[in-house]
Amino acid sequence: MVKETRFDWKHTWNLHKPNHLFVKLGASILLMCVAFRLFFSQSITFSSVTESPSVERAAAAATHVPDGALQRETRKGKCDLFTGEWIPNPLGPIYTNESCHVVEEHQNCMKNGRPDLGYLYWRWKPRDCDLPLFDSQRFLENMRNKSWAFVGDSISRNHVQSLLCILSKVEDAVNVYHDKDFKSKSWLFPSYNFTLSVIWSPFLIKAVISEDINGVSTSEVQVYLDTLDEKWADKYYSYDYTIFSGGKWFLKSSIYWEKNKIIGCHYCPGKNLTEIGFEYSYRRALQLVLNFIATSNHKGLTFFRTSTPDHFENGEWFSGGTCKRTVPFKEGKISLNSLDEILRKIELEEFEKAAAVGLEKGVNIKLLDTNRVSLLRPDGHPGPYRHFHPFAEDKNAKVQNDCLHWCLPGPIDNWNDLVMEMVMNN
């Protein structure tokens, strides 16, 4: 049973009981201030959430990371950034939905009327080391005259928007490119000549997708298991940093092609085709993509980000599933569902093989393992608040929930802390 509290201040404060009267009085005043902050922040509306001043955040970062450097080496060896827990972060988000203009409507939980604030006040803490807060100024200085690309599905787009919002505290990016459907985009930070792109490629390999404007499939996806998606493959060598990710789209009804012939399908009743399944297709796709990267001789830094688990309960997205939790899970209190477990197993196995090849070839591939980090945050999704004030007219209205994507600001912002640490200490 998850305890529904916003903060556990025992993890944050370590107050002793000195005999000196004035010290007691000071501690009492401090606790009263904390209580007032908690009460006040629970009472205000989302539109009044303020951004943490950059000076305050910098001071906090310096406090919990001596000399500004991550203490990676522990008595257990190198720190695992992806094993840990979410701890209270009274500083809150570095930006708000009002200060960042790239937040899409269905991730704008504040504007859409989400009534609670607690999900904004946590940060990721690796078990055996500390993790610096994202430093926008330092990041941009290090990215002068460089380019990034995020390649994948809507979670990649979610991630890019988070990074854009964080960097906007230093400079607003200029949108310099978009495709006809506005799914692939590029932004430029003029003062740094830094380009950030998102490339819509949900399968990472060639796929013909038939969807209407609402994302509803009108026929099976045609997936070519032996052909890379040229939208990113033709540009790969031009990027200094690339983050690839996939996963959920392979669960869609699909017909598979190899050598220009149909070899089977996944969930295609009535087609008289061999059921191959998503496990084969996902593994085949990752083998093709990761082998291309590992043997590319590309001198940039490439990340493979693990797939993101969802948190639907009491149903799926299409059958009334919801995500109503308001605090993170503790480590060990939640496990992946069977489908996410299968995707993860394939990812880790194929990445390990590709990384070994890359090491021999001098190609730098890193695993950005946000899977377990994300699993512990059932509270960070839009849920019903992917819609604008869904209960304004009927508090019992039945609406479709989004328990896969992330509110902005929200837990996905912490992925960038991990990215920055891995880049700066590469």
Side-chain angles (χ1 to χ4, degrees), residues 24-167:
K24 284 186 176 181
L25 179 61
S28 299
I29 293 173
L30 178 60
L31 287 173
M32 289 176 64
C33 291
V34 170
F36 177 78
R37 176 186 174 90
L38 284 171
F39 174 79
F40 183 74
S41 62
Q42 292 285 7
S43 302
I44 57 179
T45 63
F46 279 107
S47 61
S48 62
V49 174
T50 57
E51 301 154 13
S52 300
S54 57
V55 173
E56 183 182 0
R57 290 185 67 86
T63 298
H64 77 265
V65 185
D67 298 324
L70 178 67
Q71 303 303 297
R72 294 179 305 282
E73 300 299 325
T74 69
R75 41 172 207 250
K76 295 182 180 180
K78 191 173 182 180
C79 177
D80 177 4
L81 292 173
F82 310 114
T83 299
E85 64 177 336
W86 290 89
I87 64 173
N89 175 28
L91 291 178
I94 193 173
Y95 66 93
T96 72
N97 63 314
E98 293 181 341
S99 68
C100 183
H101 306 297
V102 298
V103 179
E104 294 187 2
E105 290 184 1
H106 50 280
Q107 267 105 58
N108 200 333
C109 303
M110 298 180 189
K111 182 179 179 181
N112 291 341
R114 180 168 172 170
D116 60 310
L117 282 173
Y119 72 98
L120 297 171
Y121 293 91
W122 300 88
R123 68 175 177 87
W124 178 248
K125 170 66 172 68
R127 181 185 296 168
D128 296 318
C129 58
D130 223 330
L131 180 65
L133 299 172
F134 193 95
D135 187 331
S136 300
Q137 185 70 57
R138 183 185 176 207
F139 182 86
L140 286 170
E141 290 289 352
N142 279 271
M143 292 302 138
R144 283 188 182 277
N145 305 314
K146 291 183 170 60
S147 61
W148 277 70
F150 288 66
V151 183
D153 56 21
S154 56
I155 300 296
S156 290
R157 187 164 64 236
N158 205 174
H159 190 184
V160 165
Q161 290 165 358
S162 166
L163 182 56
L164 284 166
C165 288
I166 292 173
L167 295 177

Side-chain angles (χ1 to χ4, degrees), residues 235-253:
K235 303 174 183 176
Y236 177 64
Y237 290 92
S238 67
Y239 298 117
D240 298 291
Y241 300 88
T242 314
I243 299 181
F244 289 90
S245 59
K248 297 292 189 182
W249 275 72
F250 285 85
L251 303 179
K252 285 182 173 284
S253 179

Side-chain angles (χ1 to χ4, degrees), residues 3 7-15 31 87-88 330:
K3 187 178 180 182
F7 295 115
D8 180 0
W9 287 103
K10 292 180 181 179
H11 293 288
T12 308
W13 302 101
N14 184 22
L15 299 178
L31 287 173
I87 64 173
K330 290 294 185 182

Side-chain angles (χ1 to χ4, degrees), residues 185-367:
K185 298 180 181 180
S186 294
W187 295 266
L188 174 68
F189 290 82
S191 299
Y192 302 88
N193 192 31
F194 168 53
T195 304
L196 181 60
S197 300
V198 59
I199 300 174
W200 173 253
S201 183
F203 288 91
L204 303 178
I205 56 178
K206 181 181 177 180
V208 179
I209 302 169
S210 300
E211 286 188 347
D212 63 20
I213 194 171
N214 297 313
V216 177
S217 297
T218 55
S219 68
E220 293 84 5
V221 182
Q222 308 294 313
V223 183
Y224 296 80
L225 299 177
D226 55 357
T227 308
L228 294 171
D229 186 349
E230 62 182 16
K231 289 198 298 292
W232 67 262
D234 290 349
K235 303 174 183 176
Y236 177 64
Y237 290 92
S238 67
Y239 298 117
D240 298 291
Y241 300 88
T242 314
I243 299 181
F244 289 90
S245 59
K248 297 292 189 182
W249 275 72
F250 285 85
L251 303 179
K252 285 182 173 284
S253 179
S254 303
I255 294 176
Y256 302 134
W257 295 70
E258 285 188 2
K259 297 180 180 179
N260 293 318
K261 294 182 180 179
I262 294 176
I263 63 167
C265 70
H266 169 57
Y267 190 66
C268 56
K271 295 292 185 181
N272 195 28
L273 294 173
T274 302
E275 173 66 35
I276 291 179
F278 71 90
E279 296 174 59
Y280 172 82
S281 62
Y282 192 40
R283 187 179 295 278
R284 184 77 175 85
L286 290 188
Q287 287 173 346
L288 187 67
V289 171
L290 292 173
N291 184 65
F292 170 80
I293 295 169
T295 60
S296 65
N297 293 320
H298 183 36
K299 300 309 178 185
L301 175 59
T302 300
F303 294 92
F304 175 70
R305 181 179 60 74
T306 49
S307 57
T308 306
D310 62 64
H311 292 95
F312 287 100
E313 296 185 66
N314 303 311
E316 299 297 328
W317 66 269
F318 55 85
S319 58
T322 60
C323 41
K324 298 180 178 180
R325 297 183 185 272
T326 57
V327 294
F329 283 117
K330 290 294 185 182
E331 185 181 6
K333 298 300 182 181
I334 182 66
S335 58
L336 292 170
N337 64 41
S338 57
L339 290 178
D340 285 329
E341 192 68 62
I342 291 170
L343 294 175
R344 178 170 176 77
K345 181 176 183 292
I346 293 170
E347 290 166 351
L348 296 182
E349 289 175 353
E350 296 307 323
F351 175 82
E352 184 178 358
K353 289 187 287 186
V357 173
L359 186 62
E360 293 178 1
K361 300 287 187 179
V363 175
N364 201 352
I365 314 174
K366 290 185 176 293
L367 186 70

